[in-house]
Amino acid sequence: MIRSQYLLALACSLVGILLWPSLAAATELPPPAQASPAERPEEATAEVLVEAPEPQYVAPTLRDRIGRIWAPVLINGKGPFRLVLDTGASHSAIIARVADRLGIDAQASETVLLRGFTGSAVVHKIHVERMEVGELLILATDLPIVADVFGGAEGVLGREALLDKRILADFGRDRLVISRSHQERAQAGFTTVPLKLILGGLLATEVRVGPIRARAIIDTGAQRTIGNLALRDALLRHRERQLAPEDIIGVTLDKQRGENVATPPIAFGALLIRGGSVTFGDMFLFEHWKLTREPTLMIGMDVLGLLDVLIVDYRMRELQIRTRA
């Protein structure tokens, strides 16, 4: 077997980025029945809109790359800095270069415990007065300084200010909109996936991996989809599969062994993901979250980037998705 090494970047207690794509195809299933619309607030929608001729902020998953969602964030009025929009991250974080541009000496600052997917570490943090992108505003917060492992991004924008927001990522048009949620119903051509908020704000839904029911966490900050050992073992009981070892290195630079496994189709809302693979392992963060017994996946951008449009509406507790033509 060939050993491959993936680099998995994480912020605080959440997943960040892997560097190599898994090849998969998405097929739309018949749309589920949609829930009744909730009443909309009366205030006007404020949003941030980013469009560019070449992918700058929203790029789709293709055969030779995994998709991404980057947000242009002003910090203390400077920037914008391109931060990975990470629905899995409990808190935002930046790389050292951003602290330098802000004129803050990170090495002279206090420290904080950083939990990543593969381990934990004590890192420096800096204090900033404000972070903003459109109406998303974070005041007086501390930002951990994380390793520069984001493939061009300058950190992560966590979910601490997203819980009343609606995020629209248009992969075909390189378009990102972050606005207050007005509980808008899905438009024609979209289907919905109901969500639950667990463990302080993680977005969770139910999926099927072949015959196995599993919990899935939607993580726009993770490039690769990661599964726990409970799911791997359940799949192996149904059919023997070839395991390809991988070394997974987190933002704390701790290394854990994982196994890449070709999976049966994953039924995820209106999507049927065929020909994909999942990296399984006894990961530090699954243990920290106490998600080791129930079959669990963290669905990353290798799957989410296969969509044409992805909408995450926190107030409605749902995804609204449109597949590629």
Side-chain angles (χ1 to χ4, degrees), residues 21-82:
S22 63
L23 303 182
T27 305
E28 189 168 5
L29 297 175
Q34 297 187 10
S36 299
E39 187 176 348
R40 301 182 187 178
E42 294 299 324
E43 67 269 21
T45 300
E47 63 186 33
V48 58
L49 174 63
V50 178
E51 294 186 87
E54 297 296 329
Q56 295 294 317
Y57 295 97
V58 181
T61 294
L62 303 175
R63 289 188 175 273
D64 60 347
R65 74 177 185 206
I66 292 176
R68 63 176 185 259
I69 303 176
W70 288 352
V73 181
L74 293 174
I75 304 177
N76 286 352
K78 297 182 179 180
F81 301 97
R82 292 204 294 181

Side-chain angles (χ1 to χ4, degrees), residues 41-47 135 166 177-182 184:
E42 294 299 324
E43 67 269 21
T45 300
E47 63 186 33
E135 273 209 346
R166 182 179 188 266
V177 178
I178 302 174
S179 62
R180 289 179 179 174
S181 169
H182 296 287
E184 300 171 41

Side-chain angles (χ1 to χ4, degrees), residues 44-50 57-58 69-74 81 83-87 132-138 157-159 161-170 175-182 184 220 310-314:
T45 300
E47 63 186 33
V48 58
L49 174 63
V50 178
Y57 295 97
V58 181
I69 303 176
W70 288 352
V73 181
L74 293 174
F81 301 97
L83 305 186
V84 174
L85 181 62
D86 192 346
T87 59
E132 54 191 314
V133 50
E135 273 209 346
L136 188 153
L137 177 64
I138 303 172
L157 178 63
R159 65 175 183 268
L162 294 177
L163 298 183
D164 64 343
K165 298 298 188 290
R166 182 179 188 266
I167 302 163
L168 183 152
D170 187 330
R175 181 171 178 258
L176 174 64
V177 178
I178 302 174
S179 62
R180 289 179 179 174
S181 169
H182 296 287
E184 300 171 41
T220 60
L310 168 67
I311 296 172
V312 181
D313 194 311
Y314 275 88

Side-chain angles (χ1 to χ4, degrees), residues 131-157:
M131 300 174 64
E132 54 191 314
V133 50
E135 273 209 346
L136 188 153
L137 177 64
I138 303 172
L139 294 174
T141 189
D142 293 333
L143 297 175
I145 306 298
V146 296
D148 187 358
V149 292
F150 298 103
E154 298 169 295
V156 295
L157 178 63

